[in-house]
Amino acid sequence: KATSKSADIVFEVNSGPATISVSASFDKGKFNHVAACYDKSKEGQLRIYKDASFVASSSNLWELNSLSFNDRTFNIGTGSAFRTEESFLHGPERTFTPMQTLSGAIDDFRFFHNVLDEEKLKANRQKNIYAQDDLRLYFKFNVPSGTFGLDDIVLDHSGNSLHSRVTNFIYTLK
């Protein structure tokens, strides 16, 4: 449902045969604060917030026992194919294959193991935060460039040392 002025962001959780998802439209050409939440206390509901205000929730629910990423690759904006709900596709196909990768900029990426309400989102969306128990991953994407040859490194500021590399890094796009 993308237009020249907006694009949909899809947040989806898959576990075995179960898939739950939610999407919302965001404006192109401007900074959007996006927060996506999987809430076990709401029987496994997904929610999306735009600029710290609630905009959409999943109509289906699925309560997962746990989410484990220990043996999985965690991708952001890759354009990778993934299994999805039929409602996002035309026909019985269940694999979504994006036509292009992320075209935009990410200021920072935070992954929590707890649910943040609108009040906490509003209080912290434009601030740097520090390591805390429920913060599992925090990429600031602000490592300065230099002559040390590590421009494709992104540091984890959560205190969990999950430092990573950016694949397909192109310095001229920086």
Side-chain angles (χ1 to χ4, degrees):
K1 299 175 189 160
T3 69
S4 62
K5 295 183 181 188
S6 69
D8 287 345
I9 290 180
V10 177
F11 174 46
E12 184 165 294
V13 176
N14 294 309
S15 178
T19 300
I20 54 175
S21 57
V22 62
S23 66
S25 183
F26 287 81
D27 300 329
K28 290 181 180 178
K30 69 171 233 147
F31 178 78
N32 291 279
H33 177 268
V34 178
C37 167
Y38 169 73
D39 190 349
K40 283 182 82 167
S41 71
K42 302 271 189 199
E43 298 176 335
Q45 183 181 59
L46 301 181
R47 292 195 301 272
I48 293 181
Y49 296 84
K50 178 180 179 179
D51 298 326
S53 296
F54 171 80
V55 291
S57 64
S58 59
S59 57
N60 54 347
L61 307 173
W62 185 264
E63 190 168 350
L64 301 168
N65 291 330
S66 66
L67 293 174
S68 175
F69 299 103
N70 294 338
D71 61 343
R72 300 286 186 245
T73 300
F74 189 77
N75 296 313
I76 303 169
T78 64
S80 302
F82 61 91
R83 188 175 55 84
T84 187
E85 289 186 75
E86 292 175 26
S87 62
F88 285 110
L89 303 170
H90 302 289
E93 182 65 37
R94 290 187 52 97
T95 300
F96 176 77
T97 304
M99 301 309 273
Q100 76 180 73
T101 58
L102 173 69
S103 175
I106 299 175
D107 181 46
D108 66 353
F109 180 89
R110 303 171 186 181
F111 188 95
F112 288 88
H113 269 216
N114 66 333
V115 177
L116 303 179
D117 58 22
E118 285 187 44
E119 183 178 316
K120 283 187 181 179
L121 288 171
K122 286 179 183 171
N124 293 311
R125 71 184 179 132
Q126 295 180 330
K127 295 180 183 177
N128 287 322
I129 58 174
Y130 298 97
Q132 45 196 276
D133 289 342
D134 287 330
L135 181 61
R136 305 301 177 162
L137 181 65
Y138 183 14
F139 291 151
K140 292 186 184 182
F141 296 107
N142 66 351
V143 176
S145 62
T147 58
F148 46 84
L150 299 174
D151 290 337
D152 63 341
I153 297 293
V154 60
L155 299 177
D156 174 24
H157 295 267
S158 71
N160 295 313
S161 299
L162 297 172
H163 313 304
S164 300
R165 288 200 112 98
V166 177
T167 56
N168 298 323
F169 178 84
I170 301 170
Y171 184 77
T172 57
L173 295 178
K174 196 170 180 188

